[in-house]
Amino acid sequence: MNNGPGQNWKCQPGHRTSRRRRYAAAGVAVLWLLSIAVAPAAAQTALGIDSISSFNADTVPDPPTFTLPSSSNLSVSVAFCSSNSDSTPRFFVTNSSAVSTPSASGGDNVYEIDLTDGYGNFTGLFEEGGVLAVEDAGETTFEIGVSENGPIHQSLDQLPLLGDTTSNQAIIFSPTFELSGWAEPSYPNYTLPDANLTFTEPSSSSNFTIFLVETDTSGSLSSLPQTACVLASQTSAGTVTNESAWLRDDLGWRTQWIIEGLTPSTNYTAYVVRAGTQVSQPMYFATKSATFNCPLVSSLPFCPNIAYPVPLPFPESTTRYDASNIPDSITDPLLSSITNLTVSLTSFACGRDLYSPLVTCADCQREYRRWLCTVSFPRCGEASPSNPDAVTSAAPNPTATGIGAVTHHSKHNKDGAETSTVRSALVPQASGSAPRNSNFPTVDYPYSMLLPCLETCTAADRACPNFLGFKCPVMRFNAAASYGVGYVDSGKEDGEGDGAVSSLQDRYGNIWCNGG
Ligand SMILES: *[C@@H]1O[C@H](CO)[C@@H](O)[C@H](O)[C@H]1NC(C)=O
Ligand SMILES: *[C@@H]1O[C@H](CO)[C@@H](O)[C@H](O)[C@H]1NC(C)=O
Ligand SMILES: *[C@@H]1O[C@H](CO)[C@@H](O)[C@H](O)[C@H]1NC(C)=O
Ligand SMILES: *[C@@H]1O[C@H](CO)[C@@H](O)[C@H](O)[C@H]1NC(C)=O
Ligand SMILES: *[C@@H]1O[C@H](CO)[C@@H](O)[C@H](O)[C@H]1NC(C)=O
Ligand SMILES: *[C@@H]1O[C@H](CO)[C@@H](O)[C@H](O)[C@H]1NC(C)=O
Ligand SMILES: *[C@@H]1O[C@H](CO)[C@@H](O)[C@H](O)[C@H]1NC(C)=O
Ligand SMILES: *[C@@H]1O[C@H](CO)[C@@H](O)[C@H](O)[C@H]1NC(C)=O
Ligand SMILES: *[C@@H]1O[C@H](CO)[C@@H](O)[C@H](O)[C@H]1NC(C)=O
């Protein structure tokens, strides 16, 4: 997004006012005259830098003009807080002291603020300050923001990230707001992180808030612009029971929200709002059905990527598992494996010698941890409502590598061509069946297991040196159906990135396989 001055300049150049030239000739008098030129504005409402002002039909000044402060890089932004079919307000701005009321009739240095989906902004040089004027405000409620750090009101390109859901809980992450700050160690003191990771909280706070609403395509929210002031006027669904900064992966810190009190089998739309004025794109998801039994596990420092339901008994005296109540019988062997891998790995002169031009010992430990956590914590899933074909009706062939992403479907599209359906890598597990991870207890309820994505294995294989002997199953030859195959990568030689969906999950709540 480039919002340099001149970006939004729309009006055709009108006649050049001669006033400035006359003042220039007057030398010292210029400053004094300039203040006179702005003087009529004293009667107008002044908007200061870093101000956010809200107006409605009763509070909009008469005349509806506002003075703007002088600045070398001023951004004026507008957000609608209501919509009204009777009027479409238009906003005009000038950075010229020669124009007292910028309007649709244009003129030199008069610009209209383009409004899209309830948002508008203008950034430019305001050497002498300026004036903002509103036309046809009607009954519309709107906010005006003035800033020197870019538009205060913005529609962000970013999306919230779904961890996962249960029948009445959801775990959602904000976009990243700060890098991890972890620096690769160097030889001879090449010290890798401990099996049980410790984090230093980020220096900044994210200033993100979460907003959830039941998806209702015909409802009151969908008819309004999706601005922060509109969202603030609605009630967010559920209750945020835990909010914390979380370093889920090496992309950086996110805010993690655990939301409870949701309704089973319901479609929700989630937004994150930054600093109370900047709204992300919507992310859609559905809660699981009321019969879904698996409890949520999250916030494990040694497995920071785990934030999903697992086949465990419902925890005592709380609604979810975290580091404080996850059984030692699960964590001890996992931590031991990471420690052992780290010992073997650092027998290599990490940081001095290279086993690959692309990856380091730290990459190997990180990808191994991610893979180990993903396979050690079996994931419960359910077919997504927007993809009801996702469930497999029968257990997969035990001689296959895993469940393939694409199956040919007898459906034909309107041109008569055969269509393929992408199914999530779900395997039904009967009540009392042996758990995939033998350190897990047997549970007395049926569930569907979402297989790990084969890519979590290949990522560890690529990042680790050969001498560790880490191997992933290949398509042709393998003992057990253990992975979801063909979602991100095709699973064939050189098939990187050309899988059926090219992602582990999407913004519509589909989670194809367990990418951790
Ligand atoms: C108004 O904006 C134009 C375009 O950036 C600039 O050339 C002009 O100097 C500005 N005028 C004032 C008084 O800031
Ligand atoms: C004006 O400020 C915005 C936001 O801080 C920045 O992206 C832009 O580069 C600045 N423009 C100029 C000309 O300094
Ligand atoms: C500012 O407005 C322009 C259109 O006038 C739009 O393309 C751009 O995305 C807006 N910038 C922000 C940060 O919202
Ligand atoms: C090696 O690095 C670790 C962590 O980076 C540090 O705690 C330790 O003091 C260092 N040891 C030496 C001998 O420099
Ligand atoms: C991991 O470290 C945290 C402190 O950072 C500690 O509270 C927790 O008990 C440790 N977990 C295990 C399994 O050792
Ligand atoms: C949020 O959850 C984490 C991990 O479960 C816990 O350490 C933290 O204390 C909780 N914070 C609050 C405010 O409850
Ligand atoms: C966070 O946003 C609020 C508005 O919601 C603002 O007042 C505050 O200054 C912001 N804090 C930071 C650290 O950006
Ligand atoms: C890690 O290594 C120790 C010592 O060799 C061994 O006793 C232990 O079983 C290993 N842990 C795992 C999970 O393989
Ligand atoms: C949820 O959305 C899906 C499409 O994404 C739709 O098929 C389903 O009927 C919706 N469910 C409800 C309860 O609205």
Side-chain angles (χ1 to χ4, degrees):
M1 257 179 293
N2 175 3
N3 291 306
Q7 264 268 300
N8 307 322
W9 293 40
K10 293 198 73 189
C11 296
Q12 70 289 9
H15 65 281
R16 187 161 268 287
T17 57
S18 55
R19 205 190 284 191
R20 196 187 312 165
R21 250 172 281 146
R22 272 190 279 125
Y23 289 163
V28 168
V30 168
L31 277 180
W32 183 78
L33 283 168
L34 278 181
S35 59
I36 293 290
V38 186
Q44 298 173 330
T45 304
L47 300 176
I49 285 171
D50 291 332
S51 68
I52 303 173
S53 320
S54 182
F55 299 97
N56 61 31
D58 298 330
T59 58
V60 76
D62 182 23
T65 54
F66 307 88
T67 56
L68 299 170
S70 68
S71 165
S72 61
N73 188 9
L74 196 72
S75 293
V76 179
S77 61
V78 173
F80 286 179
C81 307
S82 68
S83 76
N84 195 296
S85 49
D86 302 339
S87 64
T88 311
R90 294 171 70 183
F91 295 82
F92 298 91
V93 64
T94 181
N95 69 345
S96 162
S97 56
V99 181
S100 60
T101 308
S103 70
S105 55
D108 212 9
N109 290 330
V110 172
Y111 313 97
E112 178 164 7
I113 299 180
D114 236 351
L115 292 160
T116 312
D117 301 331
Y119 289 97
N121 72 84
F122 176 87
T123 297
L125 167 66
F126 286 76
E127 238 164 31
E128 313 162 342
V131 180
L132 172 74
V134 191
E135 282 183 14
D136 305 324
E139 296 295 311
T140 306
T141 306
F142 58 90
E143 279 185 1
I144 303 171
V146 178
S147 163
E148 288 188 303
N149 302 309
I152 287 181
H153 299 95
Q154 287 185 32
S155 173
L156 303 171
D157 293 335
Q158 297 159 311
L159 279 168
L161 176 70
L162 179 64
D164 210 331
T165 59
T166 64
S167 59
N168 60 4
Q169 299 162 311
I171 182 157
I172 297 178
F173 297 92
S174 74
T176 58
F177 62 88
E178 190 170 305
L179 297 176
S180 81
W182 188 76
E184 172 104 19
S186 60
Y187 187 84
N189 185 15
Y190 195 95
T191 313
L192 287 169
D194 288 338
N196 185 14
L197 291 169
T198 46
F199 300 118
T200 314
E201 287 275 315
S203 54
S204 65
S205 80
S206 75
N207 229 353
F208 279 115
T209 51
I210 180 90
F211 180 83
L212 284 192
V213 66
E214 281 188 30
T215 308
D216 176 4
T217 45
S218 58
S220 57
L221 184 59
S222 54
S223 65
L224 292 169
Q226 317 288 281
T227 55
C229 51
V230 165
L231 297 184
S233 71
Q234 311 272 316
T235 309
S236 187
T239 309
V240 174
T241 56
N242 189 286
E243 175 176 336
S244 45
W246 194 248
L247 192 57
R248 192 173 180 269
D249 51 36
D250 58 331
L251 294 177
W253 289 92
R254 301 171 186 270
T255 299
Q256 171 187 274
W257 292 282
I258 295 167
I259 298 143
E260 310 205 48
L262 301 176
T263 311
S265 297
T266 303
N267 292 329
Y268 286 94
T269 306
Y271 296 89
V272 291
V273 180
R274 189 169 68 194
T277 53
Q278 305 178 351
V279 181
S280 73
Q281 298 300 304
M283 185 266 288
Y284 307 93
F285 68 93
T287 43
K288 307 280 194 289
S289 58
T291 58
F292 187 85
N293 283 308
C294 299
L296 206 56
V297 58
S298 69
S299 314
L300 305 177
F302 43 89
C303 284
N305 60 315
I306 302 301
Y308 54 72
V310 297
L312 281 176
F314 202 77
E316 282 165 33
S317 70
T318 172
T319 55
R320 59 190 177 91
Y321 284 97
D322 61 19
S324 67
N325 61 348
I326 195 86
D328 290 345
S329 56
I330 295 172
T331 49
D332 289 350
L334 196 152
L335 290 169
S336 166
S337 293
I338 297 174
T339 303
N340 290 2
L341 178 280
T342 308
V343 169
S344 307
L345 183 59
T346 48
S347 69
F348 183 80
C350 294
R352 187 192 73 188
D353 299 347
L354 297 176
Y355 59 85
S356 155
L358 298 175
V359 287
T360 64
C361 293
D363 296 322
C364 169
Q365 196 210 35
R366 188 190 64 239
E367 293 304 328
Y368 175 81
R369 178 194 300 276
R370 185 181 181 86
W371 167 80
L372 184 71
C373 291
T374 307
V375 299
S376 299
F377 284 94
R379 183 168 184 164
C380 302
E382 206 175 71
S384 156
S386 61
N387 183 30
D389 294 332
V391 75
T392 55
S393 50
N397 181 340
T399 60
T401 301
I403 294 186
V406 178
T407 51
H408 283 285
H409 207 256
S410 54
K411 266 189 213 155
H412 290 76
N413 68 15
K414 63 182 190 309
D415 303 324
E418 199 177 13
T419 60
S420 307
T421 306
V422 179
R423 309 188 304 179
S424 292
L426 287 167
V427 187
Q429 306 285 300
S431 172
S433 59
R436 184 60 65 109
N437 175 351
S438 58
N439 299 319
F440 266 61
T442 301
V443 288
D444 59 359
Y445 56 79
Y447 62 95
S448 286
M449 182 170 63
L450 187 70
L451 295 179
C453 306
L454 184 60
E455 291 77 13
T456 58
C457 188
T458 47
D461 188 7
R462 283 194 200 109
C464 289
N466 281 331
F467 73 81
L468 290 178
F470 190 87
K471 281 277 170 294
C472 297
V474 289
M475 280 288 239
R476 289 174 279 123
F477 180 74
N478 189 54
S482 46
Y483 288 97
V485 179
Y487 293 92
V488 183
D489 303 341
S490 68
K492 303 190 183 79
E493 286 285 312
D494 302 325
E496 236 174 289
D498 61 359
V501 279
S502 302
S503 64
L504 309 173
Q505 62 185 82
D506 65 18
R507 69 184 283 194
Y508 303 101
N510 293 304
I511 301 175
W512 305 113
C513 50
N514 183 9

